[in-house]
Amino acid sequence: VSLISLLGKMCAAVDPDAVQRRHRVIQEIYDTEVGYCENLDTIQSVYAEPLRLAAEVIHNPILSPDDIRLLFAHIPTLRTLSRNIVKDLRTRLQVGLTADTCIGDVFQRLVPFLKIYSQYRTDYEVATVRIHELEEKNPRVRSFLMKAKDMPQCAKNDIHSMLIMPIQRVPRYKLLFAELIKHTWSTHPDLPALRSVFDQISAVASGLNSDRSEKFSRVLAIQNRLANCPNLVEPHRLLVRESSFTLLRRNRRDPRYRFYLFNDLLLYGKARKFVGLLPLQRCWVRVFGDSPKLSNLFEVCSPEKTLRLIAKTAQERHLWVKAICQLIDHMILNNTSSGGGGGGG
């Protein structure tokens, strides 16, 4: 007699109420997955596909191809994942739920691909900012989004409500699997797989709630703080450090400048207004010896501009120079390893 058949006989002796509770959770997992899959279909059919087709045939499309990729690049993959889950769960339900029905293996095959949700979260943060910008500046975008919201399949959900659904789905998976494990007895053949799936989904959910969102918010806060500031929000961009320095110009000192070091650029402002920025990939740093009249001086140079900065202390200068040099080296190394660095102009 096989182990599975023995476990099946043990399952058959379980309290019928316990079996029913487990079946209700499985049904809820299926029903909510169907609804989620339908919402992904709506994003694709109402938003992504019409905008993509318009960008291919219209000289001045509503959204550029770059914006369309930013907003919707991951939706086809997420749809495929969800459709596979729905298909496999539907097969189990059509056969009929029994005391020993298993669904853990359905998700075990798909969980490794759920890591795409982490990338979706990063891009979603940038996409949200971009959508707000487009809605404010472009009447055609605003009109398209309003009409899309009124379509029956959107059920009055605007694009922001639709695009956040994938982010909400992973925590929902976690809650549903916690509930299913709660109603799966210790001898059930599905329990090991369910626990494995739960652990992996929990890891993805923790990643979605990591400090990445906080770092993104810091970049956005700086953009909003400085008048006339260009768009700073990019998926890769992080704030490394910020500080006030005295800017030395023609032997005149102005202590009112605030500098923001990101992992790819140095930005500075004055009196809550954007002044300028230097891409780090085109920069180098020079440090000067101290004199009785001038100490803690260093320069951040580019082909177009040189900033002569006076730090408050030697330690502050050391930390900034070290951070800038490390970031420059890192960018040059990455550019070289990816085959960049050349090109005419």
Side-chain angles (χ1 to χ4, degrees):
V1 181
S2 69
L3 177 60
I4 296 297
S5 64
L6 285 173
L7 290 173
K9 292 178 181 179
M10 295 172 70
C11 290
V14 173
D15 177 14
D17 289 340
V19 175
Q20 286 302 313
R21 287 193 294 270
R22 188 170 192 274
H23 289 177
R24 281 196 294 269
V25 179
I26 293 175
Q27 187 68 49
E28 184 178 4
I29 291 173
Y30 172 75
D31 290 342
T32 57
E33 191 66 36
V34 169
Y36 172 58
C37 190
E38 290 173 351
N39 287 328
L40 293 174
D41 289 340
T42 297
I43 294 173
Q44 186 69 21
S45 63
V46 174
Y47 292 99
E49 196 62 19
L51 289 168
R52 185 187 65 79
L53 291 174
E56 291 179 355
V57 300
I58 300 176
H59 175 68
N60 184 24
I62 300 172
L63 288 185
S64 70
D66 286 343
D67 284 329
I68 293 169
R69 278 192 295 271
L70 173 64
L71 300 181
F72 307 113
H74 299 296
I75 297 301
T77 303
L78 296 178
R79 287 176 72 208
T80 299
L81 289 174
S82 184
R83 285 180 172 184
N84 287 338
I85 293 173
V86 169
K87 177 184 175 182
D88 290 346
L89 290 179
R90 183 181 291 133
T91 299
R92 303 292 167 91
L93 268 64
Q94 287 174 342
V95 171
L97 295 178
T98 64
D100 59 344
T101 294
C102 297
I103 68 166
D105 60 308
V106 171
F107 285 85
Q108 273 189 321
R109 294 194 299 270
L110 299 169
V111 159
F113 299 99
L114 293 178
K115 293 180 180 179
I116 191 174
Y117 281 89
S118 299
Q119 183 61 48
Y120 182 88
R121 171 58 185 264
T122 300
D123 291 350
Y124 167 81
E125 293 166 343
V126 181
T128 298
V129 175
R130 182 59 179 155
I131 292 171
H132 283 300
E133 289 178 350
L134 292 168
E135 285 180 306
E136 290 177 4
K137 298 176 181 179
N138 192 328
R140 294 173 65 210
V141 172
R142 196 159 53 244
S143 175
F144 173 84
L145 294 180
M146 290 177 64
K147 290 178 181 177
K149 176 184 175 182
D150 290 336
M151 295 187 70
Q153 54 267 59
C154 288
K156 297 298 181 181
N157 288 311
D158 62 15
I159 191 170
H160 303 281
S161 300
M162 299 297 291
L163 290 179
I164 201 173
M165 289 177 181
I167 295 175
Q168 296 170 331
R169 187 58 186 165
V170 175
R172 186 70 182 273
Y173 283 139
K174 183 178 178 181
L175 291 174
L176 289 168
F177 270 84
E179 188 70 10
L180 185 56
I181 290 171
K182 176 182 175 182
H183 296 298
T184 301
W185 43 98
S186 60
T187 57
H188 198 289
D190 203 20
L191 189 59
L194 292 179
R195 285 175 170 164
S196 174
V197 169
F198 177 79
D199 289 343
Q200 294 179 74
I201 288 177
S202 297
V204 175
S206 297
L208 296 182
N209 296 322
S210 69
D211 64 346
R212 177 81 198 190
S213 181
E214 180 184 346
K215 292 175 181 177
F216 164 84
S217 299
R218 292 169 68 189
V219 175
L220 182 60
I222 293 168
Q223 177 178 312
N224 293 336
R225 184 186 312 159
L226 300 175
N228 302 320
C229 185
N231 178 54
L232 297 178
V233 179
E234 297 289 348
H236 68 275
R237 184 165 293 144
L238 300 173
L239 178 67
V240 178
R241 59 177 61 243
E242 64 176 287
S243 186
S244 295
F245 292 108
T246 296
L247 187 64
L248 185 62
R249 283 181 170 175
R250 302 185 184 90
N251 295 322
R252 294 179 57 185
R253 304 185 186 193
D254 190 335
R256 294 171 294 174
Y257 283 86
R258 188 75 176 173
F259 287 80
Y260 305 90
L261 179 63
F262 297 93
N263 56 338
D264 62 340
L265 60 86
L266 177 65
L267 179 142
Y268 56 107
K270 178 181 178 182
R272 300 183 70 86
K273 293 181 180 179
F274 168 78
V275 176
L277 61 82
L278 299 178
L280 291 182
Q281 195 167 10
R282 294 168 54 81
C283 289
W284 63 94
V285 180
R286 293 192 294 199
V287 179
F288 296 86
D290 295 343
S291 69
K293 292 184 178 181
L294 186 60
S295 59
N296 305 322
L297 175 67
F298 68 102
E299 288 182 350
V300 182
C301 311
S302 77
E304 295 81 20
K305 194 173 191 65
T306 295
L307 299 174
R308 307 192 77 199
L309 308 178
I310 303 173
K312 298 181 184 67
T313 66
Q315 176 70 4
E316 182 180 51
R317 179 178 67 173
H318 170 74
L319 292 174
W320 271 76
V321 169
K322 180 180 179 182
I324 294 172
C325 290
Q326 287 177 340
L327 291 169
I328 292 172
D329 290 344
H330 179 72
M331 294 192 70
I332 293 173
L333 179 63
N334 283 351
N335 191 51
T336 302
S337 63
S338 62

